Amino acid sequence: MSYVEGFVFALPKKNVAVYKKIATRAGRVWMEHGALEYFECLGEDIAKKGKVNFPGMVQARRGEVIGFSWIVYKSRAHRDKVFKKVMNDPRLADMMDPAAMPFDVQRMAYGGFKTLVSF
């Protein structure tokens, strides 16, 4: 079984190109340090009336799109090892400041998940 770390966030549409550059750089670093897979996605079919939805979860505002990202690891221990290396990588130092992010990190939902079923 594997371990997945997931993120949901509201991204201003005007910042999509900037975020794509950041995500591309971050993804390369994560993969170099051992992540098995790295995904960055933008919402397309997500607002369902009468249901808990991603826009509601992150308090999305007008002019924002929903970002959904996940990284796959062998295990929680593997995630912790990769994460430590990534956080110490100087190529990402300028991206670690929440004030420099192209979205409001206070409205981001994230967590780690042990895989239950996988094909």
Side-chain angles (χ1 to χ4, degrees):
M1 286 295 173
S2 58
Y3 190 81
V4 177
E5 188 169 38
F7 309 84
V8 178
F9 52 95
L11 176 66
K13 289 178 185 177
K14 66 181 182 178
N15 293 344
V16 169
V18 171
Y19 184 76
K20 184 176 180 179
K21 287 180 186 178
I22 290 169
T24 300
R25 181 169 36 149
R28 287 186 181 123
V29 171
W30 248 271
M31 295 301 291
E32 285 178 26
H33 288 302
L36 302 179
E37 295 181 278
Y38 183 97
F39 295 88
E40 295 277 357
C41 307
L42 294 179
E44 185 176 285
D45 181 24
I46 55 175
K48 304 295 182 190
K49 290 185 179 183
K51 307 280 185 213
V52 174
N53 58 47
F54 288 113
M57 180 174 32
V58 295
Q59 302 168 8
R61 299 174 183 148
R62 185 183 308 265
E64 292 180 328
V65 295
I66 303 304
F68 179 53
S69 307
W70 70 94
I71 307 166
V72 180
Y73 307 93
K74 295 175 190 174
S75 64
R76 170 70 189 268
H78 179 236
R79 178 266 180 203
D80 293 347
K81 185 186 229 183
V82 170
F83 187 79
K84 184 176 181 181
K85 289 177 184 177
V86 168
M87 291 300 113
N88 289 317
D89 193 304
R91 295 175 291 175
L92 299 184
D94 62 329
M95 294 173 26
M96 294 300 126
D97 179 6
M101 289 295 211
F103 63 91
D104 181 358
V105 296
Q106 297 299 315
R107 294 186 289 133
M108 177 175 67
Y110 63 94
F113 301 84
K114 184 174 147 184
T115 303
L116 180 62
V117 176
S118 177
F119 294 93

